């Protein structure tokens, strides 16, 4: 299942950047590294902002790279930006597939942001934050609370990337 999700995200990423003989401004795409959010700890995100619009979409995969409670996420999200030029207020929603595998039940870590039990489910979260576009960079910071089954998960993110 993980390999199918990663391959699908890769093909969407490649198809979005392939622009044979078109005159598209590439500064509307970004590839960023994110702490927090859907990757729970580490996340790689491809971001596409629609031309002549303050809306966009995001595709990401992430993991916590933990030893005893391994988490993997892959998902998509949409966002809308309020503001102009380079500084924006960002709102959006994400839907992710979440897989948490417990390797050892006698080793427990600090898990306030993630469930501390094995689960394979879809998980929705909301985004509220700040976004800044530099000449060739993208910076994002904000909060992203979500729900998994009956659990409320507080969340936040800090993201830095490069515009393509």
């Amino acid at each position: 299942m993980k390999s199918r999700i990663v391959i699908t995200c890769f093909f969407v990423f490649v198809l979005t950047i392939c622009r044979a003989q078109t005159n598209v401004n590439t500064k509307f795409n970004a590839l960023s590294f994110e702490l927090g959010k859907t990757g729970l700890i580490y996340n790689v995100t491809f971001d596409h902002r629609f031309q002549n619009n303050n809306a966009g979409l995001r595709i990401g995969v992430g993991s916590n790279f933990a030893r005893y409670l391994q988490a993997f996420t892959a998902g998509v999200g949409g966002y809308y930006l309020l503001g102009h030029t380079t500084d924006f207020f960002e709102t959006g929603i994400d839907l992710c597939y979440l897989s948490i595998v417990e390797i050892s039940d006698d080793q427990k870590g600090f898990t306030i942001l993630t469930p501390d039990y094995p689960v394979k489910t879809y998980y929705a979260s909301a985004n509220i934050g700040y976004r800044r576009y530099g000449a060739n960079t993208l910076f994002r910071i904000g909060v992203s609370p979500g729900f998994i089954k009956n659990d409320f998960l507080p969340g936040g993110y800090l993201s830095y990337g490069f515009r393509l």
Side-chain angles (χ1 to χ4, degrees):
M1 184 68 173
K2 287 182 192 178
S3 62
R4 288 182 186 168
I5 293 172
V6 171
I7 290 170
T8 302
C9 290
F10 175 75
F11 280 120
V12 170
F13 171 72
V14 169
L15 290 174
T16 305
I17 9 183
C18 291
R19 298 169 306 280
Q21 312 229 344
T22 61
N23 190 13
V24 176
N25 186 352
T26 61
K27 294 294 183 178
F28 288 100
N29 297 327
L31 188 64
S32 60
F33 178 74
E34 193 169 64
L35 296 173
K37 188 122 171 62
T38 56
L40 306 173
I41 300 294
Y42 309 106
N43 209 18
V44 175
T45 304
F46 174 74
D47 190 291
H48 175 76
R49 183 174 158 201
F50 299 120
Q51 196 170 9
N52 300 325
N53 198 339
N54 279 352
L57 61 93
R58 189 174 36 251
I59 300 170
V61 295
S63 179
N64 65 349
F65 297 111
R67 184 178 224 176
Y68 300 111
L69 193 67
Q70 297 174 350
F72 170 80
T73 64
V76 298
Y79 61 86
Y80 186 77
L81 305 175
L82 300 169
H84 17 332
T85 62
T86 60
D87 298 302
F88 296 94
F89 176 73
E90 177 183 57
T91 60
I93 57 171
D94 291 333
L95 180 63
C96 296
Y97 172 75
L98 172 66
S99 172
I100 296 180
V101 178
E102 188 174 39
I103 304 299
S104 173
D105 61 354
D106 62 343
Q107 305 287 328
K108 295 292 181 185
F110 183 69
T111 57
I112 190 170
L113 298 178
T114 64
D116 61 350
Y117 51 85
V119 65
K120 290 184 181 183
T121 187
Y122 290 94
Y123 136 65
S125 66
N127 306 324
I128 300 170
Y130 169 75
R131 176 183 286 238
R132 178 174 175 79
Y133 286 104
N136 293 315
T137 60
L138 170 65
F139 173 76
R140 299 174 52 235
I141 188 168
V143 296
S144 60
F147 288 95
I148 295 177
K149 297 186 180 181
N150 293 329
D151 292 339
F152 172 75
L153 297 177
Y157 58 92
L158 176 65
S159 176
Y160 184 79
F162 297 96
R163 295 172 70 180
L164 307 171

